[in-house]
Amino acid sequence: MVRTRAAISPTGYPHIGTIYQAWFDYAFAKKNKGQFIVRIEDTDKDRTVADAEEKVFAALDWFNLMEDESPRKGGSYAPYRQSERLEIYKKYALELVNKGKAYYCFCSKERLDEMRQKKQKEGKVPMYDKHCRNLAKEEVQERIKKESWVIRLRVPENTQIIMKDELRKEIVFQSNDVDEQVLLKSDGYPTYFLAVVVDDHLMGVTHMVRGEEWLTSSAKIILLYDFLDWKKPLFFHTPIIRNPDKSKFSKRQGHTNVSWYQEQGFLPEVVLNYLSLMGWSHPKGKEIFSREEFIQLFDLKDINVAAPIFDLKKLEWMNGMYIRKSQKSKVKSQIVDFYKKQKVIFDEVLVEKTIPLIQERIKKLSDYLPMCEFFFKPPEKYEIDLSGKKELFKQISKDLEKIKDWTVDNIGNQLVQTAKNSELKNSEFFMLLRVAITGKKISPPLNESMEILGKEECVKRVKELTG
Ligand code: GLU
Ligand code: ZN
């Protein structure tokens, strides 16, 4: 039985890295007919943001990554929100104390700050100095009644701790370099290390997938599994995604938030397709494939840990390819829905008519309006100054009015004639007319656009420039 989990900290707006992890968790669970769990790791009270959890689920829904168990869905291992499991963590923290694998620490914040500063000055790692490690039992019993305390991990001295990540060679930690981490805080909340081990164990997680940034602290996880005599899940640390310039994929580039992809008009299935390629490749080298295909082929053990590059240009290209291959009616609805969210309401019949003209040209849904606004209203400005061309536009408007049957062919034939008579170079003539109709030097095909706009509207736009 395969059980995977996305362990999500509700500390901000949903991050694309969270979706990346969740997608691999989801796909692997589905492939193996297992379950995909979403757990909310809200143990850092200072960093928890009120509506972040709701936004996380909205993001998972947008990508259609429906979980089998979660706070909102429930499940046999509820609760799935860590802040509701404090008693459970406390129980195991005390069990560790009883086994001699953890101990009470009474150090004040002031003492710890001072100790760390001193270590830093001496050029040492500011680890806990084990001040409370060997207090007598009686003293501890007295002090826990009166003072505030935390529980710390007791790290064995002079040994090696081994992390067997399924994607890497064994990683060997020297225990003397491992901090005696706080497991349970004075407010009764666990830290990540205790909570993640307890929950992954109790929730039956078989494959723990998380980012490579956690690797360096993983000795603590290994110790906890061993101290509690629990079977470890298989560990998979996914590579850190990089920008094309090899810098860390970070907020500064703007595209770490899921909302950014929504606002830009990327299709969720394209973003997932693209994320699939971050550390994984299709056995036949394909770049575009369906979610079903990925789920069938994907295996956690095939993840390549060399830092994958997130190239926005490539994602745009891929988005454009999907739009191209979609049915016209689907593209129409996607565009209409996309703009509805921004409170731009389109005439759907008109949108439908424009699709054949733009389907191969737009990459993101947000490209639609800049390219097509002229279908919905006359240009407000012109990319070329048309003020000296009154005579030309008088002639064009006369000729356009002569066209009886307003079809692409008739429009085209007439314009070729008008261009010839104008004594302008063909390219110049059409450039001026294009700008008159659309406002822009680059637009969808002109004759087709004019057909859609209709005779009356086109004549009106041209006449506008004769006065
Ligand atoms: N709650 C951690 C985070 O959001 C997850 C780490 C893990 O997957 O275990 O970064
Ligand atoms: Zn202490």
Side-chain angles (χ1 to χ4, degrees):
M1 184 47 89
V2 167
R3 286 172 62 80
T4 60
R5 88 316 191 255
I8 302 177
S9 301
T11 52
Y13 294 120
H15 193 282
I16 199 71
T18 301
I19 298 300
Y20 170 57
Q21 299 287 326
W23 173 222
F24 280 10
D25 283 316
Y26 175 93
F28 190 68
K30 293 299 139 190
K31 176 195 168 107
N32 292 287
K33 313 244 175 309
Q35 289 96 39
F36 164 60
I37 305 165
V38 174
R39 186 169 69 228
I40 296 296
E41 305 212 318
D42 57 346
T43 54
D44 193 340
K45 284 190 281 184
D46 297 335
R47 289 181 60 220
T48 296
V49 174
D51 58 351
E53 182 181 322
E54 194 184 308
K55 293 220 162 76
V56 162
F57 284 112
L60 290 169
D61 288 346
W62 191 60
F63 287 105
N64 194 13
L65 299 177
M66 182 47 84
E67 73 280 9
D68 300 293
E69 300 167 25
S70 73
R72 65 173 177 177
K73 280 202 102 179
S76 330
Y77 303 88
Y80 292 92
R81 207 179 273 121
Q82 289 185 329
S83 61
E84 295 164 16
R85 300 171 62 79
L86 301 185
E87 285 309 312
I88 303 173
Y89 308 124
K90 188 170 177 192
K91 176 181 154 211
Y92 289 105
L94 294 179
E95 182 180 322
L96 288 165
V97 173
N98 288 336
K99 285 181 161 173
K101 304 299 185 191
Y103 60 90
Y104 288 94
C105 163
F106 302 95
C107 293
S108 65
K109 184 176 174 304
E110 291 69 31
R111 180 183 179 276
L112 293 172
D113 286 347
E114 208 173 292
M115 179 271 298
R116 283 198 196 101
Q117 270 168 18
K118 191 162 161 257
K119 286 208 173 193
Q120 246 151 1
K121 263 196 208 129
E122 293 165 1
K124 292 185 190 149
V125 188
M127 300 200 306
Y128 179 58
D129 62 358
K130 309 188 180 177
H131 185 71
C132 304
R133 191 176 215 255
N134 296 310
L135 296 178
K137 264 213 174 97
E138 301 71 37
E139 181 182 347
V140 170
Q141 288 315 315
E142 278 311 304
R143 291 178 71 178
I144 52 176
K145 290 181 211 148
K146 295 181 287 215
E147 294 177 38
S148 107
W149 47 264
V150 302
I151 290 177
R152 285 186 186 273
L153 180 66
R154 186 189 298 273
V155 178
E157 288 173 321
N158 307 318
T159 61
Q160 297 189 328
I161 301 159
I162 295 169
M163 159 55 89
K164 289 200 190 77
D165 177 280
E166 299 300 310
L167 305 174
R168 294 168 176 78
K169 290 204 201 88
E170 281 186 357
I171 299 165
V172 180
F173 296 94
Q174 302 302 326
S175 70
N176 295 356
D177 299 336
V178 178
D179 198 6
E180 304 220 301
Q181 172 73 45
V182 172
L183 301 177
L184 198 70
K185 297 183 270 188
S186 56
D187 60 2
Y189 274 65
T191 57
Y192 166 73
F193 301 94
L194 178 64
V196 77
V197 170
V198 167
D199 287 349
D200 282 348
H201 172 73
L202 294 181
M203 294 178 183
V205 170
T206 55
H207 297 69
M208 185 220 230
V209 185
R210 56 178 193 167
E212 193 175 84
E213 65 273 19
W214 292 101
L215 208 45
T216 51
S217 64
S218 56
K220 298 166 198 173
I221 302 277
I222 301 296
L223 285 177
L224 285 169
Y225 274 103
D226 288 344
F227 290 166
L228 289 161
D229 284 319
W230 289 342
K231 182 171 185 277
K232 298 178 193 78
L234 298 176
F235 297 114
F236 298 84
H237 289 84
T238 55
I240 292 179
I241 297 176
R242 308 243 157 220
N243 291 308
D245 68 359
K246 300 279 162 76
S247 62
K248 193 173 167 233
F249 187 61
S250 76
K251 268 201 203 85
R252 248 166 302 149
Q253 269 71 27
H255 47 268
T256 52
N257 282 357
V258 171
S259 58
W260 186 84
Y261 296 84
Q262 296 171 324
E263 285 153 17
Q264 291 288 312
F266 286 101
L267 307 177
E269 63 268 36
V270 181
V271 179
L272 289 186
N273 184 162
Y274 191 67
L275 289 175
S276 307
L277 297 170
M278 298 290 103
W280 183 83
S281 36
H282 189 285
K284 295 211 176 100
K286 276 206 232 171
E287 293 192 304
I288 297 186
F289 39 81
S290 70
R291 87 190 249 134
E292 289 70 30
E293 189 172 353
F294 178 68
I295 289 170
Q296 273 202 352
L297 293 171
F298 177 63
D299 196 321
L300 285 169
K301 72 174 174 36
D302 295 335
I303 294 174
N304 179 347
V305 297
I309 303 292
F310 193 102
D311 181 354
L312 212 47
K313 285 271 161 307
K314 184 149 181 203
L315 175 66
E316 282 186 12
W317 164 81
M318 192 181 270
N319 208 64
M321 293 304 283
Y322 265 74
I323 291 177
R324 243 173 220 227
K325 287 191 195 152
S326 292
Q327 293 203 320
K328 298 205 167 17
S329 58
K330 186 169 165 202
V331 179
K332 182 205 79 176
S333 322
Q334 283 168 331
I335 289 172
V336 168
D337 293 346
F338 173 76
Y339 282 100
K340 220 180 252 169
K341 288 201 191 87
Q342 303 176 16
K343 311 244 172 332
V344 179
I345 306 297
F346 282 131
D347 172 351
E348 287 194 37
V349 178
L350 185 47
V351 174
E352 187 154 18
K353 287 188 194 157
T354 65
I355 300 296
L357 272 54
I358 55 90
Q359 188 170 14
E360 307 227 332
R361 290 163 194 256
I362 63 171
K363 292 206 172 84
K364 303 169 284 171
L365 300 177
S366 61
D367 294 339
Y368 182 77
L369 191 56
M371 200 179 280
C372 292
E373 196 165 22
F374 75 93
F375 285 112
F376 303 90
K377 60 178 191 207
E380 275 154 16
K381 47 183 194 311
Y382 301 98
E383 287 183 354
I384 293 179
D385 177 16
L386 301 174
S387 55
K389 307 286 176 200
K390 292 189 175 125
E391 287 311 313
L392 173 69
F393 288 120
K394 260 183 206 157
Q395 189 56 51
I396 296 178
S397 79
K398 254 190 224 157
D399 289 354
L400 289 179
E401 284 194 285
K402 285 195 299 208
I403 301 174
K404 287 212 186 69
D405 194 6
W406 191 257
T407 61
V408 187
D409 288 346
N410 293 348
I411 298 166
N413 291 338
Q414 178 57 61
L415 289 177
V416 168
Q417 204 49 54
T418 312
K420 221 180 249 165
N421 299 339
S422 75
E423 287 169 4
L424 288 172
K425 267 206 264 154
N426 225 28
S427 57
E428 193 188 351
F429 174 88
F430 283 103
M431 177 59 81
L432 294 170
L433 180 59
R434 184 185 300 278
V435 174
I437 299 286
T438 70
K440 302 199 174 196
K441 289 192 270 189
I442 296 174
S443 78
L446 186 58
N447 298 345
E448 282 82 351
S449 299
M450 287 175 72
E451 184 192 29
I452 292 173
L453 275 169
K455 180 173 171 178
E456 198 184 329
E457 181 63 26
C458 291
V459 170
K460 202 171 130 205
R461 289 188 189 185
V462 173
K463 270 195 178 154
E464 195 71 21
L465 298 161
T466 63

